[in-house]
Amino acid sequence: MTELGNLLAESVGRLFQSGSAVHTADVWPTELWNQLDAIGINLTLVDEKHGGASGGWSDAFPVLKLVGLYSVPLPVFENMLAIKLLATAGINILSSIYTISTKTSGEWKASSGGYSFTGELISVPWGRYAEHIVCVEDAQSTVRVHVLPAVISPGANLAGEPRDRLSFSGVRSVSASSGCVEASRLFDSCALARLPLIAGSLAAGLDRSIQYAMERKQFGRAIGQFQAVQQQLAQLGSETAAVSCAARAACRAADMGDASFQIAAAKLKANQAIGLATAIAHQVHGAIGFTQEHALHHITQRLWSWRSEYGNDRFWGERLGELVTRAGAAAFWSDLTGRDDAVG
């Protein structure tokens, strides 16, 4: 863990341990958001000259992992990434709630002093609470910021996290070109930012499964003393550790430049691990883990939702296949080890 990442994680960890973090996503936790904003979490990826911490993805990793560990119902990574895009594009950063849209359907029209947009932004994370929406026009890596009002059609993923449809009619936007990697590969960057959350959420499921296995008794002893349950928990632990390592490696690679291979490999691994890990966690807990009131329910609902968001198993499997076949079979091993050596 980097020094900056360690400092940020300590501050955020104390805040979440105080009980401020909640599981539900249907009420905006204003106090918690203001506390995170005061710590400066949203400015982690922003250069110091723009008032940020000049951190990288390796610094953001431990913070985002804690967001996943404590099931924090806030668009933390969306704000981190959105503000990074604004800073690199030279767009003024306001004290505001930002979110990101990667799915746009509509028409841009040039107008005096900027552009206007008529259309929809689809499945926008936390769109109903956002004050500004950031998106990117892929062809020119142009960052655009939309200011509400918009017609909001509420939606949610399986975990109840807002995924809203926002409709605009001739709404002006602030636009500027950006040369940062995150702007040119916004979808991949969102997948990268989701990885630490998945790693943290898997760790939460592991912790609760171990705790429950030591508390729940059957045939006169804790079920965690049975070899079959121990084997399942060991498998859950190995999957959790593997995802955390893959996510951290992808963050390190992103700090060095092109991390398309590492992001694809890590997101595919995370997606596959979610299926096995959640199955084991619920097998250990039994029926109680599926109840609305139980914490495991909220953890696994998030994981199942995140598995399909920003690329499902098939998407990243095909992406990996394309990257490997493009380089050729003869270059596979040298290319693979060369990437790890460079990151190391």
Side-chain angles (χ1 to χ4, degrees):
M1 186 182 296
T2 64
E3 183 177 356
L4 174 60
N6 186 48
L7 291 173
L8 292 173
E10 285 182 2
S11 298
V12 172
R14 286 195 297 268
L15 176 61
F16 293 163
Q17 288 170 4
S18 69
S20 298
V22 293
H23 289 296
T24 57
D26 54 353
V27 177
W28 181 260
T30 302
E31 183 180 354
L32 178 59
W33 175 257
N34 291 339
Q35 290 172 320
L36 284 173
D37 193 40
I39 294 173
I41 296 303
N42 293 330
L43 298 172
T44 300
L45 300 175
V46 178
D47 289 339
E48 189 175 351
K49 64 182 179 181
H50 296 297
S54 293
W57 286 104
S58 295
D59 302 303
F61 174 84
V63 175
L64 295 177
K65 187 174 181 180
L66 286 171
V67 173
L69 180 66
Y70 287 95
S71 301
V72 179
L74 287 170
V76 178
F77 96 72
E78 290 87 351
N79 271 265
M80 275 189 185
L81 188 51
I83 292 175
K84 169 70 179 291
L85 294 173
L86 298 183
T88 55
I91 298 175
N92 187 37
I93 300 172
L94 304 174
S95 178
S96 178
I97 301 172
Y98 292 96
T99 190
I100 288 178
S101 173
T102 59
K103 299 178 182 179
T104 304
S105 174
E107 181 181 10
W108 300 95
K109 287 186 177 180
S111 59
S112 57
Y115 287 80
S116 63
F117 176 67
T118 298
E120 294 182 328
L121 303 181
I122 303 166
S123 192
V124 179
W126 310 90
R128 72 194 68 171
Y129 300 113
E131 295 164 310
H132 298 84
I133 316 295
V134 177
C135 61
V136 173
E137 187 177 353
D138 293 335
Q140 292 84 17
S141 293
T142 299
V143 177
R144 305 193 189 279
V145 184
H146 298 285
V147 183
L148 296 182
V151 177
I152 301 175
S153 301
N157 63 13
L158 185 63
E161 296 175 310
R163 298 292 184 265
D164 303 320
R165 182 183 294 264
L166 278 61
S167 301
F168 297 85
S169 180
V171 174
R172 293 283 299 276
S173 67
V174 179
S175 304
S177 295
S178 172
C180 72
V181 174
E182 289 83 0
S184 61
R185 298 173 181 172
L186 182 58
F187 187 86
D188 286 17
S189 297
C190 288
L192 173 64
R194 179 55 59 76
L195 287 169
L197 272 73
I198 293 175
S201 196
L202 286 171
L206 173 63
D207 291 344
R208 292 191 177 277
S209 296
I210 293 174
Q211 181 182 357
Y212 184 81
M214 298 309 296
E215 294 173 351
R216 179 74 169 91
K217 292 186 177 181
Q218 191 74 30
F219 304 111
R221 57 176 175 163
I223 61 172
Q225 295 179 351
F226 290 95
Q227 188 175 12
V229 177
Q230 291 174 354
Q231 191 273 337
Q232 284 189 309
L233 291 174
Q235 191 173 13
L236 174 55
S238 65
E239 291 295 321
T240 301
V243 171
S244 183
C245 289
R248 191 184 296 273
C251 287
R252 288 200 305 266
D255 287 336
M256 300 178 65
D258 181 13
S260 54
F261 182 90
Q262 287 87 347
I263 293 172
K267 186 61 164 70
L268 179 59
K269 174 57 188 174
N271 286 353
Q272 293 173 338
I274 286 171
L276 179 59
T278 54
I280 292 174
H282 279 289
Q283 285 173 351
V284 171
H285 279 79
I288 193 173
F290 288 97
T291 60
Q292 184 72 31
E293 296 78 12
H294 201 280
L296 184 65
H297 169 84
H298 299 281
I299 292 169
T300 54
Q301 293 282 64
R302 280 176 166 84
L303 287 169
W304 290 333
S305 299
W306 296 346
R307 181 176 186 174
S308 59
E309 291 179 351
Y310 302 120
N312 58 17
D313 303 40
R314 178 176 178 177
F315 176 89
W316 290 112
E318 290 179 349
R319 172 75 72 84
L320 269 179
E322 290 171 2
L323 291 170
V324 171
T325 53
R326 192 181 305 154
F332 173 71
W333 185 250
S334 60
D335 187 45
L336 181 63
T337 56
R339 292 176 187 275
D340 290 340
D341 291 342
V343 173

